[in-house]
Amino acid sequence: MIRTEEMILNVGPQHPSTHGVFRLVVKIDGEVITEAKPVIGYLHRGTEKLAEDLQYTQIIPYTDRMDYLSSMTNNYVICHAVETMMGIEVPERADFLRVIAMELNRVASHLVAWGTYILDLGATSPFIYAFRDREMIINMLNELSGARLTFNYMRVGGVKWDAPEGWIEKVRDFVPYMREQLQGYHNLVSGNEIFLDRVKGIGTYTREDAINYSLSGPNLRCTGVKWDLRKNEPYSIYNRFDFDVPVAESGDAFARYHLRLSEIEESLKILEQAVEQFPAEGQILAKVPKIIKAPKGEAYVRIESPRGEIGCYIASDGKKEPYRLKFRRPSFYNLQILPKLLKGENIANMIAILGAIDIVLGEVDG
Amino acid sequence: MSGEKDLEQLKKEAVAKAKAAAAAKRQAKAAGTSAPKQAENPVEPVKAATPPAVEADSASDADDLAKKKAAAVAKAKAAAAAKRKAMGEAPAEETVAEPAPAADAGDDLAKKKAAAVAKAKAAAAAKRKAMGEAPAEETAAEPASATDADDDLAKKKAAAVAKAKAAAAAKRKAMGEAPAEETAAEPASATDADDDLAKKKAAAVAKAKAAAAAKAKAKAAGVGTDAASDGDDEKAKAIAAAKAKAKAAAAAKAKAAAGGKAGDTSIPETETKPSANQPFLDKYRKVIEENLGADVLEDSYINKLSKDVPTLVAKRGTYFKVAQFLKYNELLGFDYLSELHGSDFETHMEVYVHLYSYKNHQSVALKVKIDRDDPTIESLHPLWAGAEWPECEAYDLLGIKFTGHPDLRRIMLGEDWVGHPLRKDYEPYDVEV
């Protein structure tokens, strides 16, 4: 008779598979996890506290550092919140630039999610492919904003820089290229027997659980909830584009993996149309006062980031700094379900389950 | 052990000290706030420069709609007022510049989708005034009849005294030259008007409509000047000598237009359209009041700043009951907790919850005000599992205690952290941090 003993295993905060500084304290009985306790906060920088002493434009660079894989959507959410409060109409060209930048960033973010997830599971080469293609996007965004990750590109009322000469054409050329690569990704990994054995049927939860735990993004859609804020509560100019919201029914890690690749495809569709309809000229910044003051009151807006629903709450007392600023960070909410998913799982599945949630620690910790 | 105790003691002392300091600060602040706040207002450069604009601005400030308006609009207004003022002081230039304020008045009205007609009306009224006619009945007339008024005016003009005619003609001539310029100079305020329109519609539709509106406006302006130039052009030439008088009349007109503008803008702004979400708010309120009693809600309103989300403010004692009802009632069915956080408003703490119903596809915001000195409230974790971490965060950063929470702990900061940073009276325990 084999006797097992309960043991505490500490994972992180410096562990490559936690994608940042994330610590997981797991109690294991043999190879079975009996309890998992996430410990977060290692990257807490107090953005919300700092923001109370900053003007709205000054806050934008701080949002770059929340979800640093998808800074454009973070930029957008705070600009959108202030614009909603002030009733600013963004010029058409700026809206197009924003959408193109956000969708490029979404593709780049999903590429990282895909590459690192496969890396977590032990395959190193797909990661290289993913980063090669991501690099092209980063270069394009670099040309647009002057930064590779912390773009600080958007402003209340529009964007900071216009597209450089020939940039739109680059995006246009990128779309078919990426489509082809995407097919390659599927050929390389999605049908791989070993990979499928590792991800199918693990980390499964139901639609009710997903809603109850406030999950969003691919984590919600993998249970069959057809919900995408770009489609269901359209913001910016997303209602002009024809795209699908991919959903899966199985609610397991493989469904989430597959959804992210499908979403790249949808983002490419949006990019294709946006480049097509891109206005030849126009303003990139609306007429806004030099010092931006949101009117007295409060507002909460939410948009779709690659990781789910990112929200921004502003309580303003009419001054140039927000009285209270709060970000609803999707990774923070999505991670809550982890203890439930890990309980009773085999320890070997731990990283596969964590990776499928796709968290960014800068966002978890705020 | 004793070392630890000392540390504890030290911490306690530090906390007490920090609190005392904070209290002193707050007191100082309370004493100081009223004065600087008042001093702040007149500093607003635009307002101070233009007394008439100040009135219009403050009046619109009080308005819900006006609050929504971009500051850009205010700026445009102020600019217009400044122009008008400049006109009053320098009437020589004013005949050329005059159409601008009239157009501005029209722009404001355009938000209410009556730009073209209103402009014609304002012009007609001003003209009539310049001619010494009794304008009472005409100004009260429906906007639709404004074109008729123009016709009437033309007839009256024919019968009017030569001097008055000269004044009007000279003015109209100036107008006839200006519209092209004015439309070119106007896009700033025109886009502002578009802004407000667009908010209510999808971007694409709004833009098309705005373009159409702008066109219509331009057309209306054209019509007015056409009618004016019809019979009066030759006479205007003949009466070039009466220029001095015309100037005086035009000045009077500009003043009348300015007065008209202030009056006109304040009227349409008060009639706020009911929000599209108003029926939902009414429904929530009705269902809640029918089932939980009439006094569970402290307040309920449409938050116009926040995409018109229906907002319910629960009473401290009924917060959990209302939340539970929002989730489980079949008519409401808010099954998704999108966001939960606390805020310190100095007079009170507040918990803000944004809920969504995937069944009915509706949002609601639930708020509760709680005592700042003893911030305790029921946890929503039994209803939505997703409330667990956000409540920990609110506890960590604001010190709000959630009763019934399974594991309320500091989630961001270390367990030994002193104080709650997002509280407005927070003093760092360790100055080095």
Side-chain angles (χ1 to χ4, degrees), chain A residues 28-98:
Chain A
I28 44 176
D29 182 9
E31 287 199 0
V32 177
I33 299 170
T34 56
E35 195 194 331
K37 202 179 167 212
V39 182
I40 61 170
Y42 294 98
L43 210 52
H44 181 69
R45 291 146 298 185
T47 309
E48 287 156 13
K49 179 73 178 174
L50 292 167
E52 287 175 9
D53 293 321
L54 295 169
Q55 299 181 16
Y56 289 103
T57 312
Q58 292 174 317
I59 300 168
I60 297 169
Y62 285 80
T63 65
D64 286 332
R65 286 143 182 88
M66 283 189 333
D67 179 353
Y68 41 76
L69 293 181
S70 173
S71 306
M72 285 294 182
T73 43
N74 304 356
N75 276 192
Y76 183 79
V77 76
I78 179 152
C79 293
H80 185 51
V82 181
E83 283 157 10
T84 306
M85 289 180 93
M86 295 175 70
I88 294 171
E89 163 82 348
V90 179
E92 195 185 22
R93 191 178 167 91
D95 256 338
F96 270 93
L97 282 168
R98 281 177 169 192

Side-chain angles (χ1 to χ4, degrees), chain B residues 255-324:
Chain B
K255 251 177 210 166
K261 188 201 166 189
D264 281 348
T265 46
S266 64
I267 293 160
E269 271 168 11
T270 47
E271 33 178 271
T272 45
K273 259 192 241 159
S275 158
N277 284 338
Q278 187 68 44
F280 293 109
L281 176 67
D282 293 342
K283 188 182 99 182
Y284 305 154
R285 201 164 41 196
K286 192 169 157 255
V287 175
I288 289 171
E289 279 174 4
E290 271 172 9
N291 290 278
L292 297 179
D295 56 347
V296 294
L297 291 181
E298 196 176 301
D299 197 4
S300 65
Y301 55 89
I302 294 283
N303 188 349
K304 287 192 178 296
L305 287 180
S306 183
K307 298 190 174 177
D308 283 7
V309 63
T311 308
L312 307 172
V313 186
K315 285 188 177 156
R316 163 72 187 80
T318 59
Y319 167 68
F320 187 79
K321 226 165 60 177
V322 171
Q324 195 174 28

Side-chain angles (χ1 to χ4, degrees), chain A residues 22 24 38-40 213 215 219 330-340 354 357 359 361 364-365, chain B residues 389:
Chain A
F22 171 57
L24 200 54
V39 182
I40 61 170
Y213 274 88
L215 303 190
N219 291 301
S331 293
F332 179 69
Y333 279 79
N334 290 345
L335 194 55
Q336 289 187 79
I337 202 172
L338 187 67
K340 179 182 155 62
L354 173 64
I357 298 177
I359 50 165
L361 266 300
V364 172
D365 293 342
Chain B
W389 285 14

Side-chain angles (χ1 to χ4, degrees), chain A residues 40 49 52 80 86 89 92 211-212 214-215 227 298 300 302 309 313 323-324 326 328 333 336, chain B residues 68 195 207 303 306-307 335-339 341-342 344 346 356 367 385-386 389 411 421 424:
Chain A
I40 61 170
K49 179 73 178 174
E52 287 175 9
H80 185 51
M86 295 175 70
E89 163 82 348
E92 195 185 22
I211 291 176
N212 192 26
S214 297
L215 303 190
W227 180 255
E298 57 182 2
Y300 173 68
R302 46 184 196 158
E309 186 181 311
Y313 168 90
Y323 183 80
R324 166 93 166 97
K326 173 75 171 66
R328 189 250 192 229
Y333 279 79
Q336 289 187 79
Chain B
K68 265 183 156 187
D195 283 352
K207 272 200 178 139
N303 188 349
S306 183
K307 298 190 174 177
D335 47 2
Y336 185 75
L337 180 132
S338 164
E339 158 76 353
H341 69 255
D344 177 9
E346 283 172 285
Y356 188 79
K367 303 207 298 181
W389 285 14
I411 194 166
K424 291 285 176 183

Side-chain angles (χ1 to χ4, degrees), chain B residues 174-259:
Chain B
M175 235 174 162
E177 288 162 13
E181 204 183 280
E182 163 232 314
T183 39
E186 273 308 294
S189 44
T191 43
D192 288 344
D194 296 349
D195 283 352
D196 270 31
L197 273 170
K199 249 190 291 172
K200 276 122 198 162
K201 288 156 210 164
V205 190
K207 272 200 178 139
K209 271 200 180 156
K215 240 182 228 171
K217 213 198 281 172
K219 220 181 200 173
V223 167
T225 45
D226 279 355
S229 56
D230 265 344
D232 294 331
D233 256 10
E234 348 125 281
K235 277 196 180 172
K237 279 174 210 159
I239 318 164
K243 230 181 186 176
K245 283 205 173 170
K247 273 179 205 159
K253 212 201 261 182
K255 251 177 210 166

